[in-house]
Amino acid sequence: MIEMRHLTRRSLIGGLLAAAAAGTGSAQAPVRVVTSTTILADFVRAVGGDRVSVSALVPANGDAHVYQPTPADGRTLAAAGLVVFNGLGLEGAGFTRLVRASGYRGAVVGAAEGIAIVRRAGGHHHDQGGGRAQRETVEPATVADPHGWQNVANVAVYARNIAAALAQVDAAGAASYQANAERYGQRMAQLDAWVRARVASVPAAKRRVITTHEAFGYFGAAYGIEFIAAQGVSSEREPSAAQIARVIAQARRENVRALFIENMTNPRTVEQIAREIGAAVGGTLYADSLSDANGPAANYEALVRHNVEMLVAGMQRN
Ligand code: ZN
């Protein structure tokens, strides 16, 4: 507002006319959206189009569960017009603390809000140490699984939430955001149908997979695959010897040969299990973050297609 005093009335009106002539989309600066993960950033890009600029705090191939904020992240947040995170415990308490400390005072939107929450048994191997110990003094019987984006059908909910949040900070773009979210949702419905068809090519009895942490609960529930992991829904804590032994015993008992490492977690556990049961690791699944731009999961749709082809090939070996 201070700068406005330096403008003559004439140049101000001229500027407004120029902005109007340039159209509603391009005249204004894009809304700066900051997300926790690269997957959420991709959703914001799909919904926001050229009305937004997006950056993710956790980089490609990074792990949101163990995210450690940097001073640069605080500055990025302070300049944000909107903050989008997943919620359901994905980002942990460090994220909330960072947002508060950054001085950002705008909306902080949980993009997973309203999805049907999958709960996982096993509070016993979830978040016993680290920052959450003080908050969770009693271990819950089940915990909310935060990995909602792994059910492709849920992404329409993510897109709608993002569209509504963007409309709050950029009312002029509301119709555009809504249309983009709707179109993206339709695209996701087609992708969902494709996933179902690919998984259906694997006999039901073979649909078992071993991964590092429980990132695929929504995927498994939606598409009829049993995922077995030594680590719980958070990768925050290394699995115990007993947890690894349990997975090895189940793999032997049920003849599971489909093993995958994840792009953002330590491959050691799965490699150890593979050695123990005499199977080969089937490759890398993109669980909680995208690959870099040159990788096989540079956007969400590519991530899904890559994971599904890897999983189908792996499960055929069971
Ligand atoms: Zn995860």
Side-chain angles (χ1 to χ4, degrees):
M1 283 300 128
I2 288 162
E3 288 86 340
M4 295 244 312
R5 289 192 205 128
H6 301 296
L7 294 170
T8 64
R9 186 180 165 79
R10 188 181 168 139
S11 71
L12 179 61
I13 290 168
L16 289 171
L17 287 174
T24 52
S26 54
Q28 66 181 72
V31 180
R32 285 189 188 189
V33 185
V34 176
T35 67
S36 55
T37 73
T38 48
I39 291 170
L40 291 171
D42 191 50
F43 298 159
V44 172
R45 244 173 249 119
V47 173
D50 60 8
R51 298 187 73 93
V52 303
S53 68
V54 194
S55 57
L57 296 175
V58 180
N61 296 313
D63 184 350
H65 298 293
V66 294
Y67 161 64
Q68 297 288 338
T70 67
D73 291 343
R75 290 192 293 275
T76 303
L77 279 163
L82 180 68
V83 172
V84 175
F85 77 128
N86 184 78
L88 303 177
L90 178 78
E91 290 88 353
F95 176 82
T96 314
R97 270 200 304 273
L98 170 73
V99 173
R100 278 205 205 102
S102 73
Y104 171 75
R105 292 290 174 265
V108 181
V109 175
E113 184 74 42
I115 64 166
I117 294 172
V118 168
R119 299 191 70 82
R120 309 291 294 175
H124 60 281
H125 58 258
H126 172 72
D127 291 340
Q128 286 178 323
R132 271 179 241 182
Q134 288 161 324
R135 201 156 52 88
E136 282 181 27
T137 47
V138 179
E139 287 293 330
T142 63
V143 291
D145 181 341
H147 306 88
W149 62 88
Q150 292 291 358
N151 175 352
V152 177
N154 281 344
V155 175
V157 179
Y158 277 77
R160 278 200 297 275
N161 287 337
I162 290 165
L166 283 171
Q168 289 294 313
V169 294
D170 174 25
S176 159
Y177 298 136
Q178 199 187 337
N180 289 347
E182 221 155 276
R183 196 168 49 239
Y184 194 61
Q186 283 161 10
R187 197 176 168 89
M188 291 301 111
Q190 287 170 0
L191 184 62
D192 182 70
W194 175 83
V195 176
R196 286 176 194 287
R198 290 298 290 132
V199 172
S201 71
V202 180
K206 286 177 176 267
R207 292 184 205 153
R208 288 199 180 89
V209 173
I210 293 168
T211 56
T212 306
H213 86 296
E214 288 181 352
F216 295 94
Y218 287 86
F219 189 96
Y223 307 113
I225 298 172
E226 185 191 353
F227 283 86
I228 304 153
Q231 225 171 11
V233 292
S234 174
S235 60
E236 211 169 343
R237 197 162 169 261
E238 288 293 306
S240 69
Q243 284 159 0
I244 294 169
R246 175 181 58 82
V247 174
I248 291 168
Q250 188 177 356
R252 288 196 174 124
R253 199 168 56 238
E254 299 174 358
N255 195 33
V256 184
R257 317 289 291 171
L259 293 93
F260 294 92
I261 58 175
E262 298 162 351
N263 65 317
M264 35 22 99
T265 54
N266 194 322
R268 208 170 47 226
T269 302
V270 165
E271 286 166 355
Q272 181 191 344
I273 294 166
R275 271 196 310 277
E276 293 276 351
I277 66 171
V281 174
T284 301
L285 298 178
Y286 289 82
D288 295 7
S289 64
L290 300 177
S291 68
D292 62 32
N294 301 317
N299 60 59
Y300 173 75
E301 185 166 349
L303 174 151
V304 171
R305 290 185 185 277
H306 168 88
N307 283 353
V308 167
E309 294 300 1
M310 299 288 273
L311 288 166
V312 166
M315 291 188 294
Q316 296 288 7
R317 292 195 296 272
N318 286 342

